[in-house]
Amino acid sequence: MIAIFRRLAIASLLMPFALSASAAQINTTLPKNVQQALSAYKLPNDALSLVVLPLTGPGTPTFVNADVPLNPASTMKLVTTYAALELLGPTHKWQTQFYADGPLRDGVLDGNLYLKGGGDPKLNMEKLWLLMRDLRANGVREVRGDLVLDRSHFVKPQLPSFNDDGGDGTQPFLVEPDSLLVNLKALRFIARAEPGKVQVSVEPPIAGMTIDNQAKALPAGACPDWPDVRYNLVPQDKGGYSMVVTGSLPAGCSAQSYIAPLDHQTYAAGAVRAIWQELGGSIRGQDRLGEVPKQARLLVRAFSPDVVEIIRDINKFSNNTMARQLFLSIGQQLRTSADADDAKAAYRAISQWMARKGIDPRHLVMENGSGLSRAERISAREMAEMLRAAWHSPYAAEFIASMPLVAMDGTMRKRLRRTPLVGEAHIKTGTLNTVRAIAGFSRDQNGNTWAVVAILNSSRPWGASALLDQVLVDLYRQPKHPDSARR
């Protein structure tokens, strides 16, 4: 009995200390260095939302402006890619198929050739070439009918075009998703100046597009950082397009440009015809859109890489188009009769998925799943709670490995190079003209891992990337624990 009273007495003495420790378990102020950085960049404290959660080992969580709905820019890709891992599955793949609606005799297809897109985010030229090589190996040489493109896989939303503040809709990062997305719809032009002339080539070659080279070669000199070589796509009266190349380039210099001026139908059909011609085949008919008829028979098919590889490309290099393809794929798989399109279906499915994980998605707004949007929103708390759930997911390793390694690759390869954080954090970045953001997983100097989310929305966020880097540096500098030397 005396022993029991003694323990109760000791517990009562310790209770005030326990209460004060409990009250101190959540930090609601920004780190001093981060506050100073905000002041230096003339940004108010409420422009930044910060949540830091310890995932292994001891540590104090930080919640600052945690429940404010903010535009996360490309960190929204983490929501889309993690949701895809769980809702589609890590081994999910997309199919692209060729069908025929007529008999095949002696290499001649007496009918139409159908190319059905399945929403593959990574149907590049190599994969398309291999698919058409299989078609050739299966005995098809000449197609007497039309080339019919089936782009019905997605029920696409009607969204306004994103304004990139530069007015150039041909930029590859603005390419919209499509059921039949070929090679991200990108063209690579290379201009090489020789004495007296400029040579211009394009990859991949597109049937029906010619090059009108009007670029001028200048005398040899220093090669400019921003070469004056311009590309303008002009429709032709008899069909097809002419790419008019203008500008000038000093002899001995070269210039490379990636643009996406063609629509999806023209690009896909042009790529198919160019490859087919290279393989010795011919297509007599026209190019048109249409759905594969029920009586058509499958000739060949190709499978995409799985979701694990797709999300790595999306997160490492912040690929907007692939993220939008993935978002629509979630919607296509889970669409119900109540969903107007695949984007709305994906938004509904992801919101319900988060709620099932115990994450209140009240601030979540998803338009296209890539963050390339003025409308998308999420709070730092919602993002951080999602990251914590991902840490405990069976697919945690795949998800974490998809993010850029600090100072090593992806969009973080040039940041924090001269710090102890090299290779210590997997961080997704986000950038719009009014947004700077980071989200991901970072280790401290004790070897413990944290989920970190920092989102800054401001009309003048210039220099704020350095401020967010400071968040990671301060997180790394957690007080050393007595046993850290043994870790």
Side-chain angles (χ1 to χ4, degrees), residues 299-470:
L299 297 176
V300 292
R301 72 176 71 185
F303 291 92
S304 73
D306 60 24
V307 163
V308 171
E309 181 174 333
I310 295 297
I311 68 167
R312 187 181 187 279
D313 286 348
I314 291 172
N315 287 335
K316 288 281 188 185
F317 308 105
S318 205
N319 192 298
N320 294 305
T321 306
M322 292 179 70
R324 296 177 70 173
Q325 291 281 120
L326 188 62
F327 184 67
L328 291 183
S329 295
I330 294 171
Q332 192 276 334
Q333 285 283 310
L334 302 174
R335 185 175 67 234
T336 69
S337 59
D339 297 312
D341 55 55
D342 287 340
K344 289 183 174 61
Y347 178 26
R348 172 191 54 77
I350 291 173
S351 298
Q352 293 172 350
W353 165 77
M354 290 181 72
R356 290 195 298 271
K357 290 184 168 297
I359 304 167
D360 183 355
R362 70 180 66 185
H363 301 302
L364 180 68
V365 178
M366 300 186 80
E367 183 180 55
N368 59 45
S370 74
L372 190 70
S373 166
R374 307 295 183 198
E376 294 197 327
R377 295 290 185 273
I378 196 171
S379 71
R381 184 189 299 272
E382 290 164 344
M383 181 74 80
E385 291 291 347
M386 189 206 71
L387 291 174
R388 176 153 57 186
W391 177 259
H392 296 288
S393 166
Y395 313 130
E398 288 77 11
F399 181 56
I400 296 168
S402 75
M403 301 181 205
L405 269 167
V406 166
M408 296 185 74
D409 69 5
T411 57
M412 286 295 296
R413 67 189 181 280
K414 294 182 179 180
R415 291 170 65 170
L416 295 163
R417 283 182 170 178
R418 294 179 176 86
T419 73
L421 275 158
V422 175
E424 293 287 335
H426 287 82
I427 298 295
K428 179 74 193 76
T429 59
T431 304
L432 290 174
N433 63 347
T434 58
V435 183
R436 300 293 186 273
I438 56 171
F441 301 94
S442 187
R443 284 156 52 97
D444 63 26
Q445 63 182 344
N446 299 303
N448 294 318
T449 301
W450 300 67
V452 55
V453 178
I455 306 173
L456 188 143
N457 282 193
S458 169
S459 60
R460 299 166 61 89
W462 305 309
S465 293
L467 184 154
L468 300 182
D469 288 349
Q470 186 63 53

Side-chain angles (χ1 to χ4, degrees), residues 244-292:
V244 180
V245 185
T246 58
S248 58
L249 197 62
C253 298
S254 64
Q256 181 172 268
S257 300
Y258 286 87
I259 58 175
L262 298 169
D263 60 47
H264 283 287
Q265 178 180 348
T266 302
Y267 189 101
V272 167
R273 284 184 176 271
I275 293 173
W276 196 237
Q277 184 177 2
E278 179 184 303
L279 292 173
S282 64
I283 302 174
R284 291 190 182 183
Q286 304 298 311
D287 303 330
R288 61 182 174 89
L289 296 178
E291 294 189 21
V292 175

Side-chain angles (χ1 to χ4, degrees), residues 94-374:
W94 293 257
Q95 294 186 41
T96 305
Q97 302 159 315
F98 273 109
Y99 287 84
D101 64 0
L104 176 64
R105 298 186 185 92
D106 299 325
V108 177
L109 173 60
D110 193 10
N112 300 308
L113 180 66
Y114 295 82
L115 175 58
K116 181 174 178 59
D120 185 349
K122 199 176 181 180
L123 180 60
N124 56 26
M125 292 304 293
E126 178 185 5
K127 179 66 73 173
L128 182 61
W129 185 90
L130 289 171
L131 178 61
M132 298 189 69
R133 185 68 185 85
D134 284 348
L135 186 65
R136 191 74 177 83
N138 275 273
V140 182
R141 184 187 71 255
E142 177 185 340
V143 178
R144 289 183 174 173
D146 294 337
L147 172 62
V148 186
L149 306 179
D150 187 336
R151 298 165 58 206
S152 62
H153 183 73
F154 289 142
V155 179
K156 291 173 61 176
Q158 297 299 315
L159 298 176
S161 298
F162 183 84
N163 176 11
D164 72 336
D165 306 309
D168 186 358
T170 70
Q171 291 297 313
F173 76 92
L174 294 174
V175 170
E176 296 185 351
D178 196 78
S179 298
L180 185 55
L181 174 69
V182 175
N183 205 48
L184 297 173
K185 204 165 70 71
L187 296 171
R188 180 172 69 114
F189 285 90
I190 301 174
R192 296 183 179 87
E194 302 172 358
K197 62 180 179 180
V198 175
Q199 299 282 3
V200 179
S201 61
V202 60
E203 288 291 338
I206 299 293
M209 187 184 74
T210 59
I211 296 177
D212 180 4
N213 183 9
Q214 300 178 16
K216 307 296 183 184
L218 301 176
C223 295
D225 293 332
W226 301 98
D228 178 29
V229 181
R230 300 177 296 277
Y231 300 90
N232 183 36
L233 191 69
V234 179
Q236 300 299 290
D237 294 337
K238 296 182 180 180
Y241 294 87
S242 175
M243 181 61 75
V244 180
V245 185
T246 58
S248 58
L249 197 62
C253 298
S254 64
Q256 181 172 268
S257 300
Y258 286 87
I259 58 175
L262 298 169
D263 60 47
H264 283 287
Q265 178 180 348
T266 302
Y267 189 101
V272 167
R273 284 184 176 271
I275 293 173
W276 196 237
Q277 184 177 2
E278 179 184 303
L279 292 173
S282 64
I283 302 174
R284 291 190 182 183
Q286 304 298 311
D287 303 330
R288 61 182 174 89
L289 296 178
E291 294 189 21
V292 175
K294 291 183 180 180
Q295 71 274 16
R297 70 183 187 282
L298 177 66
L299 297 176
V300 292
R301 72 176 71 185
F303 291 92
S304 73
D306 60 24
V307 163
V308 171
E309 181 174 333
I310 295 297
I311 68 167
R312 187 181 187 279
D313 286 348
I314 291 172
N315 287 335
K316 288 281 188 185
F317 308 105
S318 205
N319 192 298
N320 294 305
T321 306
M322 292 179 70
R324 296 177 70 173
Q325 291 281 120
L326 188 62
F327 184 67
L328 291 183
S329 295
I330 294 171
Q332 192 276 334
Q333 285 283 310
L334 302 174
R335 185 175 67 234
T336 69
S337 59
D339 297 312
D341 55 55
D342 287 340
K344 289 183 174 61
Y347 178 26
R348 172 191 54 77
I350 291 173
S351 298
Q352 293 172 350
W353 165 77
M354 290 181 72
R356 290 195 298 271
K357 290 184 168 297
I359 304 167
D360 183 355
R362 70 180 66 185
H363 301 302
L364 180 68
V365 178
M366 300 186 80
E367 183 180 55
N368 59 45
S370 74
L372 190 70
S373 166
R374 307 295 183 198

